[in-house]
Amino acid sequence: MIAIAGCTGDGNGDGTGTADGNSGDGGNGDDGGQSIQFLTMGVGDNIKQFFEENNAAFEEEYGVNVEFTSVTWDNARQTVNNRVDGGQAPDVSRWPARWIPQLVGKGALEPVDDLMDGEFGEKFAEGVANGTMYNGSHYGVPWAASNKCLYYNKDVFEAAGLDPENPSLDTWQDMLSAAKTITESGEVSVPALGLAGADAIETGSQYYHYHWSYGADLVDDEGMPVVNSDGAAEALSFYADLHLEHGVTQASPLSSTRQDIRQLFENGDLGMVIGHVYTGLNITESQEKGEVDFEYGIAQVPKGPEGRYSLFTIDTLGILSQSEHKDIARDLIRFYFDEERRFQYSKQKGFLPVVKAVGEREYFSESKNWGPFVEAGQYARARPKLSNFSQFNDRMVQAIQEALADQKSPQKALDDAQSDLEDAMS
Amino acid sequence: MSLAEEYSKTDGESRLSQSIAHLKQNRRAYFLIAPAAVFLLAVVGYPILETFRLSLYRSPADSTIETFVGLQHYVEIVNSDIFYRLLWQTGRWVLVGVAGKTLLGLLIAVHLKNDIQGRKFFRTAFLIPWGIPYAISAVVFRWIEHPQFGYLNAVLLKLGVIDQGIGILGNPDIAWLGVVVADVWIGTPFMAIIFLAGLQSIPQDLYEAAAIDGAERWHQFRYITLPQLKSVILMATLLSTIWTFVSFDVIWTMTGGGPISTTATLVIHIYQVGLQNGNLGRGAAYSVIGFLFLLLFAIVYLRVYTRGGDEL
């Protein structure tokens, strides 16, 4: 019996997703009548059939009933926590790696070192595998990964007198220079650059590229906040000035979520935007349908004075401690990590392959859309794993908004955030 | 014992004996309503008590261990700047929202009572906003007010009033107005229907007598309609105040409480603190404070309401 509830589109809220493996070491195929609860998030139309077919195949192969549920990203964290707190945890659940500490603190996640330290774990690139670690143990298998690059609209660049084939977007200053040229050219009616500033989780995700590239960090080695360094203030100044001083962004960054600016770019109504691989995939699909008619290019996220970073997000597939079917749960994970299944998932869903063999396939390595993102893997950086990351991120978003609204200087906004975060985390 | 004390004691005793007698006389009635009372206590009383209990504990998101902290959450809340900002923003949201819904509802009801052409159509049409799920209406308004894709900006740009889109929901000074407009649009039909029902129960001969005496329309409205509608207006605004106070979906869908928390109300903050950030104890303390505010408001309001001899 497969039930899909609360399907959404392409996963928002900064989630990600993936899989591979072999058909494990003989599951409990004779557990007639047993059920396993498999919870995931953001199953949209592009991946619904994949799960339906594969859950049915698993049921047939193992003689186990898969109770499959998908919830929206908005409700993801609360749903899993409610079920854990109510003693009704699913057996297997997708779970963003940055939220691992919160469930581990409750004793709700099962370590899966037996999987990850063995042959199975060799499927993954080291950086990806490490992304599921916390306190020395793996608390999930890497299910999905995403990172970001800088998209630019070639038609806009050309109209503004810039070279669309050699866009020179290596540094933030290069990006600003191109944005100014576009804005001042008088030949282009669309904003040069998309800037996210709305009260949403992803505003932090867009800004952290700048923060890190100026040598700033979010937390120190002890997990305490360090958000108001000189570098951080420079980064936030640069970010806010893109709108306040240079006027190269869309009209109202404080109204714009990451999805808004992505949508603008995908419609051809924006010069540049930092986005996931699926931005390119969406445009390609729209081009094939004749819905849009513009050319785009993909560059690496620009570098700052202290380096280049591409925000890397990993979601895991974890086994909940309350599960009474942990062996079958492991079988389900191995089943979904079959290489061909992982290929189909990554291809259909539009997330980076987490399995090395899948990433090496021509489909990804030779693709105009995928190639730059595979390259961006070397600049990957994940958000810190904090049990209260949501609260941490909310406070950072507030500081970003205060600077963008010109209510506080970037230094003051970050100093206040630092003070509040110290209180919250002490 | 002074005379006053003796009187008061006697008075107290007689009231107690009256109550006991009343209980004895109505034993059967109380027995019959007992199941409903127990049910109510279970589904209403228990959550309230549990929320209060939870507000005395610290319960971090990453732990199942609750630590008793007494009134610490309350002390920290009343000593924080954000609490007073939330009170102001909640008060503003409720006051402007309820006033808007009441005035517009009254205006529409008065017009719908008159024998205008297409009255049946308008009565039905005015109900539509109330029939649409709040979240959907909120999404519609979010798009209407969107700086890049919104109709509002498109119209203003076409008319040449502005030269680039205004981000209403992204402007810390006016975002709350953008949300209130949506809430008023959603809530006005309910008020209009309630007021219309009230208007139709006012005897027509009062207006006829006033017209014979030479009273103009405004005076008829001022001295007949408003006094006759008083109880309906008070009841509708009480309900609307409670609903607006606890309203979540419109704000959350349109702004998420932003920008810079300028559209956050007490209820939005409770959700953010308690459920999003997993700080259940602090969230529960905010909930208790909100509950006490509403309770106090309802008591004062009903005192005023019944002062004139009106019965509920």
Side-chain angles (χ1 to χ4, degrees):
Chain A
M1 188 267 301
I2 298 171
I4 296 186
C7 294
T8 57
D10 56 0
N12 50 27
D14 267 19
T16 356
T18 358
D20 144 321
N22 49 37
S23 286
D25 52 4
N28 306 354
D30 56 351
D31 289 314
Q34 276 204 45
S35 284
I36 181 166
Q37 295 189 341
F38 178 12
L39 179 77
T40 187
M41 296 96 192
V43 173
D45 290 343
N46 60 346
I47 203 72
K48 192 170 165 182
Q49 194 180 346
F50 168 86
F51 281 112
E52 285 174 350
E53 287 172 359
N54 285 297
N55 285 333
F58 182 82
E59 286 179 332
E60 194 173 336
E61 188 173 333
Y62 286 82
V64 173
N65 183 37
V66 179
E67 291 181 24
F68 181 74
T69 311
S70 171
V71 294
T72 63
W73 274 107
D74 286 343
N75 299 312
R77 191 171 186 173
Q78 206 180 319
T79 300
V80 175
N81 273 294
N82 285 349
R83 290 184 63 172
V84 165
D85 296 345
Q88 299 292 320
D91 298 289
V92 176
S93 179
R94 180 174 171 178
W95 193 245
R98 67 186 178 279
W99 293 349
I100 283 175
Q102 196 242 317
L103 279 190
V104 171
K106 287 182 176 183
L109 268 183
E110 181 82 356
V112 287
D113 296 320
D114 55 320
L115 280 172
M116 293 299 291
D117 291 343
E119 192 185 333
F120 178 87
E122 291 168 13
K123 294 169 179 294
F124 308 102
E126 194 182 343
V128 172
N130 287 344
T132 70
M133 285 199 86
Y134 179 64
N135 285 351
S137 278
H138 291 279
Y139 281 96
V141 171
W143 173 251
S146 75
N147 61 4
K148 297 186 176 69
C149 284
L150 178 71
Y151 284 85
Y152 64 97
N153 183 318
K154 287 186 175 181
D155 295 10
V156 167
F157 269 53
E158 194 165 15
L162 295 163
D163 183 354
E165 301 311 321
N166 294 294
S168 299
L169 296 168
D170 191 48
T171 67
W172 294 121
Q173 290 302 330
D174 292 340
M175 184 189 79
L176 173 59
S177 169
K180 280 179 169 175
T181 304
I182 292 167
T183 306
E184 293 160 7
S185 69
E187 301 296 322
V188 178
S189 59
V190 303
L193 180 70
L195 205 70
D199 210 359
I201 186 173
E202 310 92 344
T203 293
S205 313
Q206 294 293 102
Y207 164 73
Y208 295 145
H209 296 103
Y210 297 77
H211 191 85
W212 289 327
S213 74
Y214 273 80
D217 215 330
L218 295 172
V219 292
D220 62 16
D221 293 342
E222 278 73 51
M224 291 309 288
V226 285
V227 302
N228 63 337
S229 62
D230 292 347
E234 279 183 68
L236 188 53
S237 295
F238 182 84
Y239 193 82
D241 283 347
L242 288 168
H243 173 59
L244 296 173
E245 186 184 333
H246 306 297
V248 294
T249 68
Q250 78 282 13
S252 177
L254 281 161
S255 304
S256 304
T257 63
R258 185 182 68 191
Q259 287 84 344
D260 289 334
I261 56 177
R262 190 190 82 203
Q263 191 69 54
L264 276 176
F265 188 86
E266 289 177 11
N267 293 345
D269 294 331
L270 198 60
M272 291 176 275
V273 75
I274 291 174
H276 295 91
V277 70
Y278 51 74
T279 294
L281 298 175
N282 290 346
I283 297 169
T284 303
E285 193 180 329
S286 298
Q287 284 170 333
E288 286 164 1
K289 290 179 182 171
E291 292 168 351
V292 296
D293 181 26
F294 70 94
E295 290 303 316
Y296 66 94
I298 308 174
Q300 294 304 309
V301 172
K303 69 181 176 200
E306 301 296 329
R308 187 195 311 276
Y309 295 94
S310 175
L311 183 84
F312 188 55
T313 304
I314 297 177
D315 284 4
T316 69
L317 204 57
I319 299 172
L320 282 294
S321 302
Q322 289 174 17
S323 170
E324 292 173 3
H325 313 290
K326 292 188 176 77
D327 288 342
I328 304 172
R330 281 174 167 76
D331 289 335
L332 183 78
I333 289 172
R334 289 192 192 95
F335 176 86
Y336 264 103
F337 277 76
D338 166 78
E339 189 182 314
E340 186 56 31
R341 286 193 183 97
R342 294 305 313 169
F343 173 68
Q344 290 302 332
Y345 179 84
S346 297
K347 183 177 148 187
Q348 290 174 40
K349 185 72 188 171
F351 282 131
L352 280 175
V354 291
V355 170
K356 285 185 284 189
V358 173
E360 286 160 7
R361 291 193 182 193
E362 237 175 61
Y363 178 86
F364 293 108
S365 58
E366 300 301 315
S367 156
K368 166 195 167 182
N369 282 319
W370 287 95
F373 288 89
V374 173
E375 185 189 333
Q378 63 189 296
Y379 313 116
R381 183 163 179 176
R383 282 158 291 197
K385 287 196 186 80
L386 300 170
S387 59
N388 59 349
F389 183 78
S390 174
Q391 186 178 1
F392 184 101
N393 189 67
D394 285 352
R395 189 59 191 82
M396 280 302 289
V397 169
Q398 187 185 321
I400 295 163
Q401 290 188 314
E402 286 165 346
L404 265 176
D406 208 12
Q407 283 197 348
K408 290 179 184 175
S409 71
Q411 186 68 63
K412 169 76 172 141
L414 290 168
D415 286 345
D416 291 350
Q418 174 73 17
S419 169
D420 288 351
L421 288 169
E422 280 174 5
D423 288 348
M425 295 165 79
S426 57
Chain B
M1 190 182 287
S2 73
L3 200 58
E5 282 171 330
E6 211 170 312
Y7 273 128
S8 119
K9 188 172 174 236
T10 314
D11 195 37
E13 281 170 357
S14 71
R15 235 182 287 155
L16 182 68
S17 58
Q18 273 178 0
S19 298
I20 292 167
H22 174 81
L23 275 172
K24 280 180 180 171
Q25 274 175 353
N26 297 287
R27 193 181 304 159
R28 189 160 171 227
Y30 283 112
F31 177 75
L32 288 170
I33 63 163
V38 169
F39 179 76
L40 264 180
L41 277 174
V43 298
V44 178
Y46 170 73
I48 291 171
L49 289 174
E50 175 62 13
T51 303
F52 182 70
R53 186 200 67 79
L54 202 55
S55 74
L56 305 177
Y57 288 82
R58 175 174 288 116
S59 49
D62 59 348
S63 171
T64 51
I65 299 163
E66 291 179 344
T67 314
F68 182 76
V69 293
L71 297 175
Q72 190 187 327
H73 287 309
Y74 294 96
V75 172
E76 286 174 0
I77 287 170
V78 297
N79 284 320
S80 69
D81 293 342
I82 193 168
F83 174 63
Y84 297 99
R85 190 150 60 85
L86 284 169
L87 283 187
W88 154 242
Q89 288 173 185
T90 306
R92 182 179 64 180
W93 159 253
V94 171
L95 197 72
V96 178
V98 173
K101 284 178 261 192
T102 305
L103 292 174
L104 267 177
L106 198 55
L107 193 71
I108 290 165
V110 167
H111 279 84
L112 286 181
K113 183 177 174 273
N114 297 335
D115 204 7
I116 54 168
Q117 208 168 12
R119 186 169 63 166
K120 269 189 176 171
F121 165 78
F122 284 117
R123 281 186 183 188
T124 311
F126 274 115
L127 268 180
I128 289 172
W130 200 51
I132 298 171
Y134 285 15
I136 291 175
S137 298
V139 168
V140 169
F141 268 88
R142 200 178 143 214
W143 279 105
I144 288 171
E145 298 172 25
H146 197 282
Q148 278 86 38
F149 312 114
Y151 291 119
L152 184 64
N153 279 299
V155 170
L156 293 175
L157 283 165
K158 269 253 182 314
L159 294 172
V161 177
I162 53 173
D163 55 6
Q164 66 166 359
I166 306 165
I168 296 168
L169 299 178
N171 184 323
D173 298 324
I174 58 170
W176 71 276
L177 269 174
V179 183
V180 163
V181 166
D183 188 57
V184 168
W185 185 83
I186 292 164
T188 295
F190 169 77
M191 301 296 259
I193 292 300
I194 295 288
F195 293 153
L196 185 59
L199 285 170
Q200 287 172 329
S201 69
I202 300 173
Q204 195 57 33
D205 54 0
L206 289 177
Y207 292 102
E208 287 163 6
I212 290 165
D213 289 341
E216 289 174 11
R217 287 191 81 115
W218 163 247
H219 289 108
Q220 289 179 23
F221 179 78
R222 166 82 179 76
Y223 294 105
I224 299 171
T225 306
L226 277 183
Q228 293 287 326
L229 265 188
K230 181 190 159 192
S231 59
V232 174
I233 292 171
L234 287 171
M235 204 61 228
T237 47
L238 173 64
L239 287 174
S240 182
T241 301
I242 293 167
W243 291 339
T244 309
F245 185 93
V246 301
S247 168
F248 175 84
D249 11 21
V250 177
I251 300 173
W252 190 253
T253 307
M254 288 183 76
T255 63
I260 322 174
S261 301
T262 50
T263 58
T265 59
L266 209 51
V267 169
I268 296 287
H269 194 67
I270 288 165
Y271 177 78
Q272 289 172 323
V273 170
L275 296 174
Q276 274 200 316
N277 298 336
N279 194 340
L280 287 174
R282 177 64 63 93
Y286 271 111
S287 298
V288 170
I289 291 170
F291 169 73
L292 292 176
F293 265 103
L294 264 187
L295 192 68
L296 188 70
F297 170 80
I299 290 167
V300 170
Y301 201 88
L302 290 175
R303 277 273 164 93
V304 172
Y305 179 88
T306 52
R307 191 182 292 159
D310 286 312
E311 285 296 334
L312 284 176

